[in-house]
Amino acid sequence: MTLDAIYQRLTTILRDVFDDDTLVAGPDLTADQVDGWDSFAHLRVILTVEKAFNTTFSAAQISSLKNVGELAELIEAKVAK
Amino acid sequence: MSDLFTELAWLPKVPLDFRQSCRTLLHRADPGRAIAQLAGFALDENQLARLADAIERLRAAGRSLAPLVPFKLGVLGNATLEPLVPALVASAARHGIALECVRADYAQTMAEALTPDSVINRAQPDAVLLSLDYRGLPLTPGLGAGEAAANVADALRFVQELRTGFRRYGRALCIVQTVPPPPEALFGSFDRAAPATLRSLTAAFNSALAQSVAGTEDVMFDVAALAETVGLGRWHSPTQWNVAKFSFDSRFLPLYADHAGRILGALRGKSRRALVLDLDDTLWGGVVGDDGLEGIVIGQGDATGEAYLDVQRMALALRRRGVVLAVSSKNDESVARSVFLKHPEMLLRENHIAVFRANWSDKATNLRAIAAELSLGLDSLVFLDDNPAERGLIRELLPEVAVPELPEDPALYARTLAAAGYFESVAFSHEDGSRADFYQDNARRALLQTQAGDLDAYLASLEMRIVFRPFDATGRSRIAQLINKSNQFNLTTRRYSELDVAALESDPDVFTLQVRLIDAFGDNGMIGVIICRPLGVRAWEIDTWLMSCRVLGRRVEQMALRELLHHARLRGIERLVGRYIPTGRNAMVADHYRKLGFAPVEEVGSITTWEIAADAQIAPAPMVVDRTAFELVAAAEG
């Protein structure tokens, strides 16, 4: 799966989680820039991503993500395996 | 493959405009009904949160959520509760409840219960959900047998005190959860025998808890059974526990919340009371009108036959616990009843069925009549039917009726019906058991009430496309099969072999039509066969007209006649002559030609002859016509 495709699906997921159709998942997007992205919303994002990409993340991975770019790269690495 | 339990597969799939529909809820005149409808889809955690947001906004704006019934629930637990609340609020709406939650702070269990002005007690809720995780109970593995028993008693006393506190200070009943054990064994199978392992401790605790609830106002929420159903290894997520203290994997949140919603619904009398059953391909395999009593599949010794027995067995078990049974089937009544009377393998018999409606009316009309006869609301009915078009019709016209989605494999029908939990009950009394008989007697007295719903709008929503072609080699074997198998919707019941059919393909004097129907649910395949032969000059006789009963009530006959007339005119034909030859199995089409506007010409014995002018105008039905491969078609007519 290409990074482009991953970002596309992440956009859908973010719009679903935050009910905001203006959101676009890009590498520099961070939680601070999104209304309502608190720690529970973060888990919802992660769990929705896990389901959508049929993968799981470790606690360390979940808490270390700095921005959507890192999430996308993590997904890319997981899905490639 | 979708997982029945995780995906709530008995509920219809979420429409693409779901979030948009949630946003417009605020502007609806009747938000309660709209909420119930949106809650009826198989919502995931994010969608539950969306709907719960909308419900909270409506509540904040002071809007009435009727007909949803208000319920205030205290939520208390020793694990993370935040994600539970929106899931509970949205799922409760699926069960007729306008839920308001009062959540205690994390791990404030005993203080909440025993402090008169705690958050929950102050709110005076209708009930308190004790969402307890085994990790927060005083259950300590590794002790000896004697200590283990004392340990279980301690844990039970802890829950008991919570219950007493909320009853005294909050005047609320408690919904108490069993605790699922973790999947990690210490010894292995021996864990079950050793009293002080977590497996044994939780089992002893759960069983003591269940006993302690009997005879009290408090009710059980068997979360352990839920976890076992989906698998303990999937239920418990070590990562989610470590990261966020989620008691169980959040992918099961929709399932957990739906089960909680059922209990709230049951407490408010919202559980369903009647199960309405389709017959062909739902209670047995095959179509009794076509296949005959000997041809249907039901009974031991055949894998498919046993699947249908499972459905019947479940219906009978439900009847014994007070669920009233009814039948709605597109069949001749005598043919349908004969299966209940004569088939040796049938478990269900006529005396189990309170209302038996086998006819050719649309099922919405029949379900209304069944509800009226039973003096029950439509929101008490569950409708089980293998046919997605019938399910869609009922959901569209009678949204109050619960209609489970069914998988393709009939072996899973019974499980799917049970998984949907329509008949949730928090207690069982002797009178409950005889309730089915009560309704049955009631039905004999009640009057029939028949009305047609907005059928046109529904038909339009099916997005039907009807395809007309002359006979061809591709369709040949299916055409021959239909000609030799169809009994019910068959005007003349003339049988032709595959060779005969091949000969008709190239006969210049004969006009043939094969009809397919595609709709929003998929391709129904070939659903009609018509053969016309010349009758003198400028007239056709309809030698054969048969259709599949699957598409009855869709106005397909009307469209087929339009098509026939179109081709007749192009070929200079002035009139069409049709015959009805009764066979004992095709009574349903006795009035076929009259209904389509033909005039009676003669009656010889029981055979009737009908006629219509080729320039007769037949109104179109809401479907797209796809006409291909007719050689003579000129551009003269559109």
Side-chain angles (χ1 to χ4, degrees), chain B residues 382-508:
Chain B
V382 174
F383 173 56
L384 192 73
D385 196 315
D386 68 294
N387 184 337
E390 299 289 7
R391 300 200 293 262
L393 173 91
I394 297 305
R395 285 200 196 105
E396 177 80 19
L397 296 183
L398 309 175
E400 305 94 330
V401 176
V403 186
E405 283 297 276
L406 286 179
E408 277 193 18
D409 183 355
L412 299 173
Y413 285 3
R415 175 175 291 184
T416 304
L417 176 63
Y422 297 119
F423 308 106
E424 184 82 21
S425 181
V426 292
F428 181 76
S429 71
H430 190 68
E431 296 85 73
D432 288 332
S434 46
R435 207 165 52 193
D437 289 320
F438 164 77
Y439 282 118
Q440 211 153 322
D441 295 341
N442 217 19
R444 293 199 188 98
R445 292 188 288 268
L447 287 170
L448 270 189
Q449 185 182 328
T450 45
Q451 285 169 334
D454 190 5
L455 203 55
D456 281 339
Y458 173 68
L459 288 177
S461 77
L462 279 178
E463 300 166 4
M464 291 185 281
R465 188 158 65 87
I466 193 163
V467 183
F468 295 107
R469 296 172 70 88
F471 286 11
D472 56 20
T474 321
R476 192 182 298 159
S477 68
R478 178 66 182 144
I479 291 168
Q481 195 185 19
L482 279 172
I483 286 178
N484 288 292
K485 207 184 149 210
S486 299
N487 291 312
Q488 301 191 92
F489 197 125
N490 194 336
L491 274 299
T492 54
T493 322
R494 294 194 174 108
R495 311 297 195 193
Y496 296 114
S497 71
E498 205 166 318
L499 277 177
D500 296 330
V501 174
L504 290 170
E505 285 167 29
S506 50
D507 188 336

